[in-house]
């Protein structure tokens, strides 16, 4: 039963509840709310970006060979339009700014990169990447889903053009809602997407009054919003997902991003120290500035790692096995809800299973 006067008022109320996720997401990365669009996922955000950045035949996009496939897929689709792709080989599981710089050509227009690589947890020097892209006139597109919620990103300190982040991983929110950050600098140069009716500037008096006005007509010169919200679908959206995203983000703000990062890095320090005493190979970089919440290790071949994963899962110790370009192994993740005892339980189990 609708507690408001009508379903129209209820719809407007839901729009307001959904909109609360934008300032919460903006606060997470030190952006402005009008630089935030609510999207279904990182995938949707990256796909929208590939369509919105104005490229011409012969332009080149730069990718790392460690990326999760979705970072590459939208640009691979653009090859039919004459867009070309260059790949930066990793160096011992790391993607370094100097290696990216060496691959940039006069035709390079985009660098698309993950803030944290999904297989080995390597956290790139995003500030160095951003400065490099600004110097060379290259768009910087960031997949931030494996970093945000653990280690902060400040877009006022780190020059990022576009950043996409789904909510269902480290942000602890429901599936089906995340956000897309579009800097004002980027927004001015991007191609607008196909629009829905909620991409139109709110009419005088609001939508409730607009729909009750006899003179309204479907064909007219509409005025569209100029903020990042233009990149939302513009129609009925995932309202529960956005409400959940806002709640999860507000919990992160309440706990404090700095406190979360300190806790998670302490847990991963403990895990690395323990793994060093076991017959395993640590894949994740050791330096704190080069990792976030993921620690990856290997007991040998991919088959051996899968067997270990399965045996750990039988003990309700949830890990995964992930590889890209021969980099990966058993992936364990620590977050703010984990305790030192969780890490110790994993280490003890690995000790007895290897």
């Amino acid at each position: 039963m609708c507690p408001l006067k009508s379903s129209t008022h209820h719809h407007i109320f839901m729009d307001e509840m959904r909109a609360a996720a934008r300032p919460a997401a903006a606060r997470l990365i030190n952006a402005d709310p009008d630089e935030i669009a609510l999207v279904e996922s990182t995938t949707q955000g990256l796909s929208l970006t590939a369509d919105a950045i104005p490229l011409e035949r012969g332009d080149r996009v730069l990718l790392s060979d460690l990326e999760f496939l979705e970072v590459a897929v939208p640009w691979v689709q653009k090859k039919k339009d004459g867009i070309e792709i260059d790949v930066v080989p990793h160096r011992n599981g790391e993607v370094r700014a100097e290696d990216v710089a060496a691959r940039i050509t006069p035709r390079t227009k985009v660098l698309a990169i993950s803030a944290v690589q999904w297989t080995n947890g390597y956290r790139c020097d995003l500030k160095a990447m951003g400065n490099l892209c600004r110097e060379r006139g290259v768009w910087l597109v960031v997949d931030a889903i494996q970093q945000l919620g653990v280690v902060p990103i400040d877009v006022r300190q780190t020059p990022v053009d576009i950043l996409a982040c789904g909510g269902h991983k480290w942000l602890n929110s429901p599936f089906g809602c995340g956000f897309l950050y579009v800097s004002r600098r980027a927004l001015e140069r991007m191609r607008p997407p196909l629009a829905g009716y909620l991409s139109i500037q709110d009419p005088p008096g609001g939508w409730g009054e607009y729909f009750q006005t006899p003179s309204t007509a479907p064909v007219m010169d509409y005025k569209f919003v100029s903020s990042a919200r233009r990149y939302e679908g513009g129609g009925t959206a995932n309202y529960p997902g956005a409400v959940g995203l806002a709640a999860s983000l507000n919990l992160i703000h309440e706990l404090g991003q700095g406190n979360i990062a300190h806790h998670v890095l302490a847990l991963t320090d403990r895990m690395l120290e323990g793994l060093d005493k076991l017959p395993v190979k640590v894949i994740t970089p050791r330096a704190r500035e080069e990792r976030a919440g993921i620690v990856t290790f290997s007991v040998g071949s991919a088959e051996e790692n899968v067997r270990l994963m399965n045996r750990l899962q039988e003990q309700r110790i949830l890990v995964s096995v992930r590889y890209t370009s021969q980099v990966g192994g058993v992936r364990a993740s620590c977050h703010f809800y984990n305790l030192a005892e969780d890490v110790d339980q994993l280490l003890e189990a690995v000790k007895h299973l290897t």
Side-chain angles (χ1 to χ4, degrees):
M1 183 173 124
C2 176
L4 300 172
K5 288 188 291 185
S6 71
S7 60
T8 298
H9 290 90
H10 187 64
H11 198 295
I12 293 170
F13 176 68
M14 289 194 303
D15 286 337
E16 292 171 350
M17 290 181 66
R18 177 176 180 271
R22 294 193 199 100
R27 182 181 172 189
L28 186 75
I29 59 172
N30 196 23
D32 291 327
D34 64 1
E35 295 175 301
I36 300 295
L38 299 180
V39 294
E40 177 185 271
S41 59
T42 312
T43 293
Q44 186 189 27
L46 294 175
S47 298
L48 286 166
T49 297
D51 282 336
I53 291 178
L55 298 178
E56 300 176 355
R57 183 173 293 273
D59 286 345
R60 308 184 77 88
V61 175
L62 200 54
L63 302 167
S64 157
D65 66 351
L66 286 183
E67 296 298 341
F68 182 67
L69 72 164
E70 177 51 35
V71 178
V73 165
W75 306 108
V76 171
Q77 288 183 299
K78 291 290 180 181
K79 290 173 70 174
K80 69 181 186 303
D81 302 322
I83 305 305
E84 300 176 19
I85 296 175
D86 292 317
V87 178
V88 180
H90 68 86
R91 193 190 305 188
N92 296 321
E94 300 179 0
V95 186
R96 300 184 181 179
E98 58 264 33
D99 295 333
V100 172
R103 294 278 173 152
I104 293 177
T105 74
R107 296 298 297 178
T108 303
K109 302 301 179 185
V110 178
L111 169 63
I113 193 167
S114 294
V116 171
Q117 293 299 335
W118 74 302
T119 56
N120 69 340
Y122 170 73
R123 175 157 59 102
C124 75
D125 187 343
L126 205 55
K127 189 169 185 178
M129 298 291 186
N131 290 334
L132 172 64
C133 287
R134 288 290 166 89
E135 292 169 5
R136 303 288 186 91
V138 174
W139 292 74
L140 177 58
V141 178
V142 175
D143 174 347
I145 196 170
Q146 297 290 1
Q147 177 167 341
L148 287 178
V150 179
V151 177
I153 295 174
D154 185 335
V155 295
R156 296 292 173 246
Q157 301 296 322
T158 301
V160 172
D161 292 303
I162 300 169
L163 178 149
C165 185
H168 66 280
K169 289 188 182 291
W170 302 91
L171 298 183
N172 303 293
S173 71
F175 281 90
C177 192
F179 70 92
L180 180 70
Y181 161 76
V182 184
S183 70
R184 285 199 181 86
R185 175 178 179 272
L187 194 60
E188 295 171 354
R189 300 181 291 150
M190 292 168 66
R191 287 193 293 251
L194 291 173
Y197 83 95
L198 290 176
S199 305
I200 300 167
Q201 291 183 6
D202 289 354
W207 289 105
E209 183 174 324
Y210 176 85
F211 290 135
Q212 297 171 163
T213 303
S215 61
T216 58
V219 180
M220 63 178 67
D221 292 327
Y222 293 109
K223 293 183 179 179
F224 296 97
V225 297
S226 57
S227 67
R229 183 162 65 88
R230 181 75 182 272
Y231 289 87
E232 297 181 7
T236 303
N238 179 2
Y239 291 95
V243 172
L245 176 63
S248 295
L249 291 173
N250 288 330
L251 175 61
I252 289 172
H253 297 320
E254 181 180 342
L255 295 173
Q257 290 194 77
N259 294 331
I260 292 172
H262 177 78
H263 177 71
V264 172
L265 289 173
L267 290 178
T268 54
D269 285 343
R270 187 183 188 94
M271 187 180 297
L272 290 169
E273 182 180 349
L275 289 171
D276 283 339
K277 300 173 183 176
L278 301 177
V280 305
K281 179 182 178 181
V282 173
I283 308 299
T284 299
R286 303 307 184 100
R288 274 192 166 203
E289 65 271 16
E290 293 183 344
R291 54 186 164 88
I294 293 172
V295 173
T296 301
F297 62 94
S298 176
V299 296
S301 67
E303 292 76 16
E304 290 173 301
N305 286 326
V306 170
R307 281 197 292 271
L308 175 61
M309 175 194 72
N310 290 333
R311 295 184 71 183
L312 289 171
Q313 290 178 350
E314 289 170 0
Q315 299 184 31
R316 302 300 297 163
I317 299 173
L318 304 184
V319 296
S320 59
V321 171
R322 298 290 184 267
Y323 282 96
T324 300
S325 297
Q326 305 300 319
V327 175
V330 179
R331 188 181 71 175
S333 300
C334 300
H335 209 354
F336 63 73
Y337 44 73
N338 289 118
L339 303 172
E341 289 81 356
D342 298 326
V343 174
D344 294 343
Q345 183 182 6
L346 168 65
L347 294 171
E348 188 67 19
V350 173
K351 178 181 178 180
H352 285 93
L353 293 173
T354 55

